[in-house]
Amino acid sequence: MRGLLALIIQDFKRLLTNALFWVITASLVVIILVINFALPQRVTQEQYRLVTNHATLSGELATVADSEDEIRQAVEAGNTIGLMRKADGSITVFHPQLSAKTVHALMVTIANATPVHVQVESIHEGGRIVPFNKRMTPIFICFEALVIGFILGGALMLSEKEEGTFRALRVSPMGVDRYILSKTVLFSLIAVLYALLMAWFSVGFDFPALGFILLSFFGAAIFSLLGLAFTSLFKDLSSWFFSMAFVLSINMLPVMAYMEPSFSPLWIRVIPSYTIIFAYESILFGAEGITVAATLTLAGWCIGAYALSRAAVGASLLARGRR
Amino acid sequence: MIQVDHVYHDYEGKGIYAVSDISFTVQSGKVFGFLGPSGAGKSTVQNIMTGLLPVQRGEVRYDQYSVKALRTKFFNRIGVSFEQPNVYARLTGYENLKYFAALFSAPTCDPMELLDSVGLREAANKKAGEYSKGMRQRLTLARALLNKPEYLFLDEPTSGLDPATAASVRELIKAQRDRGAAVFLTTHNMELADSLCDTVAFLYGGKIAAMDSPDALKRRYGKRLVTVAYQEGESERVAAFDMDHREALVAFLAQNNPITIHSQEATLEEIFLLVTGKELTA
Ligand SMILES: Nc1ncnc2c1ncn2[C@@H]1O[C@H](COP(=O)(O)OP(=O)(O)O)[C@@H](O)[C@H]1O
Ligand SMILES: [Mg+2]
């Protein structure tokens, strides 16, 4: 598209004078330092007592209980995991809402300690064991590098509204597509750069770069487009800022599902960052890379976000005869 | 040609019209001026013409095309300068023009030459946010000229400019007219309207009170006097003649030694007062 590059360059120059841009850039450095030096490699787990009626497991490790009721009561009392051996030889685990991963680990331990066959279902098959600090990298990339367009695209747009340059654009042959594309591409390029920096500095170079770049580019595009659509509802920075921060924090809720994979209700999975964080996880740490399902979901988000942005920005930018 | 046909505008939808029953035509190669005090509705009409405000009633046509149906591409042919100078404060004057130049698919002027023509060459690499209001206004004007527009809209192009700068802006507008642009300008500056406009419309209270060429307006409403300063002995004297009785003037000129001859026309300002009962600058 004619002139797109020139528009991107001028928007970039405006960005360089924007304080928010430098705040985000500075926090990029801080986050890289935090990942490498401040976060522990392992998160210490809480200590749990073990209660069981299983002869093999009792002894120095566990408190002995006689009945299922007794085990249940002990677990409900707190800080306790119960293992009950049933008449048929199978084992039931009672636990105070531990994560699937913890239960998994527990089951493996039991399987090793007893001749009984314990059925275990693995949640993330094929995954390497990732240190806690590195495991946070997808989260930091998603909420630092990728949301840059959501925040700064909005900030650029609102300064155009406040300066009145938006009105000048409305009587120019800008067109809504060029308006949203020039800003989206700019932020996607910056996001790719920042995401690569974060990944290189925290997990090294051992990941498929092309998939990573594409994910960063289009992931950031989704946020920029949604941000422009959202911002077009506002007239000035002050009324926008807190709403923007609120929407961003909702967008961060999928972190819960990432930390606690057993908790992933539908309403969390429909937030775009959900797919993006897990896609980063599988690109950075997974053996198989990004899945077809995730690719399709992200493509859907891109198209949807573009359509939404086009409609929302178009209504304020191009609808003839609106102030 | 731009045709404005019985246009009304009601901002609040309460039946109070900011402008009403506005009709006029702007021809290519001509300057059409809206002269009126602040609040008369000049900007409202310009904004309706450029599509920034909806056409609530009536019609605005560019040749055959209604402003309601203009496509984005059509804005390659339009240039608009705003009353409130609106430029990218964080970009330099030069970058401002580069940004907008990138939007046009039509050929554009060289930004530096344009800046030169509005006296901003020296300030080209300064941030527009550091410009004075007058400088930002000239930058806005330069931006409107970027795409050599066929239709040029100028909202108060000389307000706040010193006389010398205002004069150079006037020359710039003349050059646009001579290039063949249809120029619509609004002003409360009587001299600008007088010296530049082929047609002037007096706008007052949202209505056109009178519309004609400045000369025709003066002829219609002016006193049509000629004053002659002449030498009589040692002293200088002045005589006045009614243009409706020219014989006396001719006879007088034949018998005396005139120093200066002035046609004592009423100014547009006086005519505005006569027509609307209000002062232009009030
Ligand atoms: N956005 C607006 N909302 C409501 N009234 C407005 C608005 N803009 C202008 N007006 C009113 O419309 C009238 C004409 O204003 P305007 O067109 O700006 O006049 P001018 O340009 O001649 O100074 C004024 O009475 C003004 O108060
Ligand atoms: Mg005005």
Side-chain angles (χ1 to χ4, degrees):
Chain A
M1 249 199 264
R2 196 191 135 91
L4 198 60
L5 185 66
L7 299 181
I8 290 172
I9 290 170
Q10 300 307 328
D11 267 343
F12 183 59
K13 286 182 185 163
R14 289 172 62 215
L15 207 55
L16 291 179
T17 64
N18 189 306
L20 264 179
F21 174 74
W22 291 108
V23 169
I24 292 176
T25 305
S27 60
L28 175 86
V29 177
V30 171
I31 286 171
I32 288 174
L33 292 176
V34 164
I35 290 178
N36 282 291
F37 302 112
L39 282 187
Q41 297 214 342
R42 249 174 300 152
V43 177
T44 47
Q45 298 287 329
E46 284 181 67
Q47 297 290 320
Y48 289 98
R49 278 188 309 129
L50 213 52
V51 176
T52 182
N53 61 351
H54 193 303
T56 331
L57 286 174
S58 61
E60 65 224 66
L61 267 174
T63 315
V64 182
D66 294 328
S67 65
E68 180 177 340
D69 277 350
E70 212 174 310
I71 296 175
R72 281 182 182 277
Q73 277 165 17
V75 172
E76 273 164 24
N79 264 6
T80 306
I81 296 164
L83 298 175
M84 194 188 69
R85 184 195 180 137
K86 288 194 176 150
D88 61 3
S90 71
I91 289 174
T92 306
V93 180
F94 297 99
H95 62 88
Q97 292 186 324
L98 298 176
S99 74
K101 283 189 174 170
T102 309
V103 174
H104 176 189
L106 194 65
M107 302 283 259
V108 172
T109 315
I110 299 167
N112 290 339
T114 63
V116 180
H117 176 73
V118 180
Q119 187 68 36
V120 277
E121 199 183 319
S122 167
I123 310 256
H124 283 256
E125 196 76 65
R128 295 175 253 162
I129 294 173
V130 181
F132 175 75
N133 59 343
K134 311 283 159 148
R135 215 174 98 71
M136 293 298 98
T137 309
I139 292 179
F140 287 128
I141 291 178
C142 184
F143 298 112
E144 158 75 19
L146 262 55
V147 300
I148 194 168
F150 189 92
I151 303 171
L152 293 175
L156 285 188
M157 184 180 189
L158 283 171
S159 84
E160 278 168 340
K161 283 192 177 182
E162 288 184 346
E163 287 172 337
T165 39
F166 207 74
R167 304 191 80 206
L169 295 176
R170 286 181 53 192
V171 291
S172 80
M174 168 70 115
V176 62
D177 289 305
R178 252 195 309 179
Y179 184 82
I180 59 181
L181 267 183
S182 61
K183 289 193 167 44
T184 302
V185 170
L186 169 66
F187 291 115
S188 285
L189 293 176
I190 295 174
V192 167
L193 176 69
Y194 283 13
L196 279 173
L197 286 174
M198 290 174 95
W200 285 336
F201 278 106
S202 50
V203 303
F205 297 90
D206 184 21
F207 59 84
L210 182 65
F212 183 90
I213 288 171
L214 288 177
L215 174 61
S216 305
F217 189 91
F218 288 104
I222 291 169
F223 290 129
S224 300
L225 291 167
L226 292 178
L228 290 173
F230 176 70
T231 309
S232 64
L233 303 173
F234 295 86
K235 283 206 160 55
D236 54 65
L237 272 163
S238 48
S239 63
W240 163 80
F241 197 84
F242 290 102
S243 313
M244 180 274 294
F246 176 72
V247 171
L248 267 191
S249 51
I250 289 179
N251 185 46
M252 287 187 75
L253 291 177
V255 170
M256 295 194 294
Y258 183 73
M259 303 305 294
E260 197 66 67
S262 62
F263 177 71
S264 53
L266 182 66
W267 64 266
I268 276 201
R269 279 179 281 138
V270 298
I271 298 175
S273 62
Y274 178 90
T275 314
I276 292 172
I277 299 175
F278 282 103
Y280 271 121
E281 187 194 33
S282 55
I283 282 186
L284 290 176
F285 312 120
E288 77 281 16
I290 187 165
T291 64
V292 174
T295 309
L296 290 179
T297 307
L298 290 174
W301 266 111
C302 274
I303 295 166
Y306 193 87
L308 188 67
S309 190
R310 202 175 186 285
V313 177
S316 60
L317 179 68
L318 290 178
R320 302 284 162 226
R322 294 256 313 264
R323 273 176 94 82
Chain B
M1 187 176 77
I2 314 169
Q3 233 175 321
V4 177
D5 205 6
H6 300 291
V7 160
Y8 292 72
H9 197 83
D10 174 2
Y11 277 104
E12 322 255 282
K14 289 180 184 157
I16 305 160
Y17 287 93
V19 297
S20 47
D21 202 17
I22 305 290
S23 301
F24 61 92
T25 307
V26 190
Q27 304 280 358
S28 299
K30 303 274 184 203
V31 180
F32 184 97
F34 253 17
L35 187 64
S38 165
K42 304 182 295 294
S43 300
T44 302
V45 172
Q46 170 166 325
N47 290 340
I48 295 169
M49 292 171 80
T50 56
L52 284 171
L53 283 173
V55 182
Q56 293 176 340
R57 210 169 131 189
E59 183 60 281
V60 176
R61 279 192 205 86
Y62 287 83
D63 296 325
Q64 295 314 310
Y65 309 108
S66 165
V67 70
K68 295 177 218 169
L70 291 189
R71 301 184 167 256
T72 301
K73 222 177 75 187
F74 189 83
F75 285 80
N76 278 304
R77 300 164 60 184
I78 293 181
V80 183
S81 170
F82 294 80
E83 184 175 8
Q84 305 295 334
N86 50 356
V87 294
Y88 285 107
R90 305 282 181 85
L91 297 181
T92 66
Y94 180 74
E95 288 166 347
N96 262 282
L97 295 192
K98 283 294 270 189
Y99 186 89
F100 277 86
L103 298 176
F104 295 103
S105 50
T108 51
C109 301
D110 177 56
M112 206 44 111
E113 276 172 29
L114 261 185
L115 286 172
D116 199 30
S117 70
V118 295
L120 287 177
R121 184 183 271 275
E122 253 87 279
N125 295 317
K126 239 170 83 171
K127 293 254 190 300
E130 294 162 22
Y131 282 14
S132 70
K133 177 153 191 268
M135 289 163 86
R136 273 182 281 140
Q137 188 147 8
R138 281 180 278 152
L139 182 57
T140 312
L141 173 67
R143 189 181 64 196
L145 306 181
L146 260 175
N147 54 328
K148 304 179 182 133
E150 285 168 55
Y151 309 99
L152 180 60
F153 295 88
L154 305 170
D155 200 349
E156 310 264 5
T158 60
S159 83
L161 300 183
D162 63 79
T165 318
S168 75
V169 165
R170 182 153 52 201
E171 291 314 305
L172 214 58
I173 298 171
K174 277 183 182 159
Q176 296 295 316
R177 175 200 64 194
D178 295 342
R179 185 176 59 74
V183 183
F184 174 87
L185 70 83
T186 80
T187 183
H188 58 256
N189 181 325
M190 169 276 291
E191 279 162 18
L192 184 76
D194 196 356
S195 60
L196 204 54
C197 295
D198 297 286
T199 310
V200 173
F202 288 167
L203 195 66
Y204 182 71
K207 294 195 174 66
I208 293 180
M211 177 163 65
D212 215 326
S213 70
D215 281 345
L217 284 169
K218 287 175 202 165
R219 264 183 271 121
R220 189 163 350 135
Y221 297 100
K223 284 179 287 194
R224 311 192 73 220
L225 287 180
V226 171
T227 55
V228 181
Y230 63 101
Q231 200 78 31
E232 196 181 66
E234 289 299 298
S235 57
E236 190 181 313
R237 313 194 62 153
V238 179
F241 299 88
D242 190 332
M243 284 295 277
D244 291 336
H245 304 283
R246 268 166 298 180
E247 314 80 34
L249 172 64
V250 173
F252 182 84
L253 287 178
Q255 289 160 20
N256 288 279
N257 185 20
I259 303 164
T260 58
I261 303 174
H262 289 290
S263 61
Q264 188 80 353
E265 283 180 322
T267 63
L268 285 184
E269 198 154 11
E270 286 163 347
I271 300 169
F272 193 91
L273 179 64
L274 195 69
V275 171
T276 66
K278 296 286 169 191
E279 303 237 7
L280 201 47
T281 46

